[in-house]
Amino acid sequence: MSIPSFHYNLVHLNRLSCHIDCTSRVYDAMGLVLYVSPIENIGVDSFKRDVAIMDTTWTVIKLTLWNAFAHVLDENLNHVEICPIIVACGLHVKSFYGTYLSTGYYTRIYVNPVNEKTTSLSTWYTSEKLARIRRDWFRSSTFSLKSSIDISNTPRIRLSQFPTVRNVQYCRVAAYACRVDDVNNVIYEACNRCLKKVAIFQGLLKCQSCNINNTVTIPRLLLRLTIFDKSGNLKVTILHDLAQYLLGCLATKIKSVLQQPNGRNRVMEKVFACFGNRAFSWVLHPPTGAFNPEHSFENTRF
């Protein structure tokens, strides 16, 4: 379906946050559909579907399709190679844990319309391998849609810039792992109730959080690595769930291996089989205060 050009004025997705407070106005947006959520019932008579869209600014934003608009796209799109283009006119720009778009009374939606702008976007998508990688990542991500969008929109930096990064929730760097810090302490004992690390007090394991002596414990993984790119290096920490996922091995298994003869070397082999000679995209919380090069920064996402 063609769109009368005088009926719309597209706003780039990276500029929509400037219009959050303009509640009396509506805006038009266009993007590639990276992901389509299932329909969700809201209250008695309403339902919605969330869609992740991206344009040539590499910005990803959530578009919430309410009621009848929820049927213009189907979640089966997540399992096919095509990446449709959606043009939505008369949208509201809203903010709830981040900027997002929502349909309203004046909304009109067009899927795969043919005009100069959509053709240009389609050509860009075809020529950009990273755009298709991002589409595939969204469809396979185990994170919530909000977290996936937050990660996708993180600014890309070099490690030399990390000490000065401020005013963003996350930042991203492509880097290699060059060293594992203290494999002997890759496992720690945690309280079975609160999962906090326990301390030894008068010969007994004590959880200071729960204030319980001789508490029942479970092993937890904590990988401390040094990563590097051409500009510098940084110490990072990979926490339990992500460490198990990357190593493809439970903490109980790692603990058992460490207790065996030559166990330390076997664990090192597993770690370097995962990280050796491979660049990862590391998503990190930037420093909140003065930068300390000896501090190990938590790797929140991969």
Side-chain angles (χ1 to χ4, degrees):
M1 180 186 297
S2 61
I3 311 170
S5 60
F6 55 87
H7 280 174
Y8 71 100
N9 182 22
L10 297 175
V11 178
H12 285 303
L13 299 185
N14 66 338
R15 299 296 302 165
L16 285 170
S17 60
C18 303
H19 304 290
I20 289 174
D21 295 328
C22 304
T23 55
S24 61
R25 297 185 61 184
V26 293
Y27 300 88
D28 307 332
M30 174 180 69
L32 294 152
V33 178
L34 302 182
Y35 171 79
V36 182
S37 79
I39 289 179
E40 178 184 355
N41 290 319
I42 306 295
V44 178
D45 300 320
S46 295
F47 51 91
K48 72 180 182 74
R49 165 172 276 155
D50 292 325
V51 179
I53 62 174
M54 179 181 71
D55 65 6
T56 55
T57 66
W58 294 100
T59 303
V60 181
I61 198 166
K62 181 180 74 173
L63 166 60
T64 299
L65 306 172
W66 285 94
N67 300 322
F69 292 115
H71 297 291
V72 300
L73 293 168
D74 191 282
E75 62 193 277
N76 289 329
L77 286 171
N78 297 330
H79 308 292
V80 295
E81 279 297 309
I82 63 172
C83 193
I85 293 174
I86 190 170
V87 177
C89 305
L91 297 173
H92 296 282
V93 182
K94 297 190 174 183
S95 177
F96 184 74
Y97 294 105
T99 305
Y100 73 99
L101 295 167
S102 178
T103 57
Y105 181 80
Y106 295 102
T107 300
R108 297 293 182 269
I109 289 183
Y110 308 88
V111 178
N112 289 327
V114 178
N115 59 40
E116 182 180 349
K117 291 183 181 295
T118 58
T119 300
S120 176
L121 178 59
S122 180
T123 301
W124 174 83
Y125 171 72
T126 303
S127 63
E128 289 285 351
K129 182 179 179 180
L130 181 58
R132 296 189 295 279
I133 292 174
R134 186 163 294 187
R135 176 206 65 187
D136 293 341
W137 181 82
F138 261 88
R139 294 179 178 182
S140 62
S141 174
T142 58
F143 304 126
S144 68
L145 181 58
K146 179 190 180 306
S147 293
S148 296
I149 291 174
D150 287 345
I151 293 168
S152 183
N153 290 335
T154 54
R156 173 79 176 270
I157 65 167
R158 292 183 177 274
L159 282 177
S160 60
Q161 298 170 295
F162 183 78
T164 60
V165 174
R166 296 293 187 274
N167 302 321
V168 295
Q169 186 176 7
Y170 305 113
C171 56
R172 184 207 318 254
V173 61
Y176 294 83
C178 63
R179 185 170 65 249
V180 182
D181 297 342
D182 200 357
V183 170
N184 293 323
N185 291 324
V186 74
I187 292 287
Y188 68 94
E189 294 298 322
C191 173
N192 190 47
R193 293 161 56 99
C194 67
L195 302 181
K196 298 289 182 64
K197 185 177 181 179
V198 299
I200 299 177
F201 182 73
Q202 294 182 350
L204 298 175
L205 292 173
K206 179 176 181 178
C207 177
Q208 295 178 325
S209 178
C210 300
N211 196 27
I212 297 176
N213 288 321
N214 206 22
T215 183
V216 177
T217 65
I218 57 174
R220 302 273 289 176
L221 267 174
L222 192 70
L223 274 178
R224 291 186 174 90
L225 306 175
T226 299
I227 62 174
F228 77 97
D229 65 7
K230 291 182 179 179
S231 70
N233 56 63
L234 183 74
K235 292 183 178 181
V236 299
T237 298
I238 304 176
L239 301 181
H240 176 74
D241 291 335
L242 183 57
Q244 286 192 135
Y245 172 76
L246 291 170
L247 296 179
C249 192
L250 296 176
T252 50
K253 178 64 176 178
I254 297 292
K255 179 181 178 180
S256 175
V257 171
L258 284 172
Q259 292 171 342
Q260 298 171 10
N262 203 33
R264 184 182 186 280
N265 289 338
R266 289 173 59 190
V267 172
M268 286 287 287
E269 289 173 1
K270 180 171 278 295
V271 172
F272 279 103
C274 174
F275 293 101
N277 299 317
R278 296 171 63 190
F280 286 85
S281 182
W282 305 78
V283 180
L284 304 162
H285 286 294
T288 55
F291 176 72
N292 181 356
E294 295 303 315
H295 178 68
S296 185
F297 287 84
E298 178 185 334
N299 181 71
T300 308
R301 300 286 190 266
F302 252 80

